[in-house]
Amino acid sequence: MLKTVYAFGLRRTEAVMLDTVDLHHNAKMRQWGHFGAIHVRWAKAAGGGAPRRRTVLLVPEFDWWVPGMQQWLEQARERFAPGDNLDALWVTERHTRLSAGYLDRRFAELRDEAGLSKDLTLHSLRHSYVTHLLEFGYADRFVQEQVGHMHASTTSIYASVSSDYKNRVLAEALKALIEGEADDR
């Protein structure tokens, strides 16, 4: 579940409200089967309105998510909801949908076990997702659509590119500048 939050840049409510029918094909990546996109039906509402909807595409850099989700659906999920009509993607041993609170608590447990800073929250995975898509070279507008932000300024707040990325961009710019000067001679 945590891998899904990161691989698609989901908010906690978006993640826990996923149903099995929300897993979709991506026509450009047929090899992923019905794991190429997630339809988010419970996205954050705007101005007190109904929850918004969006489809989030799996990007090739996160294709490691596919085998884990296949294993969950084909081997593990049925153990929690045997023959049940519950459509929830994430179910408990009591045949109910996992809660957002559970997801927060589980993230905190794993964070603490790993010895990471208590400043890290589940939402940090969403920030990392945005940062990594930008570092991979995806267009700002694509990233904005993926995370369901109405305004580019909101998405830019999420981005915190690494020093390695900044150094790589600077090196590429300097190389282009130097090569351009050499061509001018």
Side-chain angles (χ1 to χ4, degrees), residues 37-86:
I38 286 182
H39 185 67
V40 176
R41 293 178 292 131
W42 294 92
K44 188 175 181 179
R52 293 189 324 223
R53 295 173 177 237
R54 72 179 187 283
T55 298
V56 185
L57 302 174
L58 181 65
V59 296
E61 292 83 358
F62 296 138
D63 66 352
W64 46 260
W65 175 83
V66 174
M69 182 52 68
Q70 284 176 316
Q71 183 179 23
W72 169 251
L73 286 175
E74 295 169 7
Q75 299 172 18
R77 186 183 177 281
E78 181 65 18
R79 293 180 180 190
F80 290 96
D84 212 334
N85 289 332
L86 182 65

Side-chain angles (χ1 to χ4, degrees), residues 1-2 4-6 8-18 40-46 51-54 56 90 100 103-104 122-127 129-130 143-151 154-155 158:
M1 189 165 163
L2 293 173
T4 301
V5 168
Y6 171 60
F8 290 90
L10 301 178
R11 297 174 180 97
R12 66 186 188 152
T13 301
E14 294 171 347
V16 299
M17 294 304 292
L18 288 174
V40 176
R41 293 178 292 131
W42 294 92
K44 188 175 181 179
R52 293 189 324 223
R53 295 173 177 237
R54 72 179 187 283
V56 185
W90 314 108
L103 186 54
D104 282 336
L122 179 68
H123 202 71
S124 300
L125 296 177
R126 185 169 161 84
H127 286 253
Y129 174 78
V130 168
V143 177
Q144 180 184 341
E145 290 292 323
Q146 286 283 97
V147 294
H149 287 155
M150 291 178 67
H151 306 286
T154 306
T155 307
Y158 278 55

Side-chain angles (χ1 to χ4, degrees), residues 9 18 23 30 44 47 54 60 69 77 81-82 93 114-115 118 121 126 140 146 159 179 184:
L18 288 174
L23 301 172
R30 294 189 187 278
K44 188 175 181 179
R54 72 179 187 283
M69 182 52 68
R77 186 183 177 281
E93 67 279 356
K118 294 209 183 286
T121 65
R126 185 169 161 84
D140 294 354
Q146 286 283 97
E179 287 174 356
D184 291 341

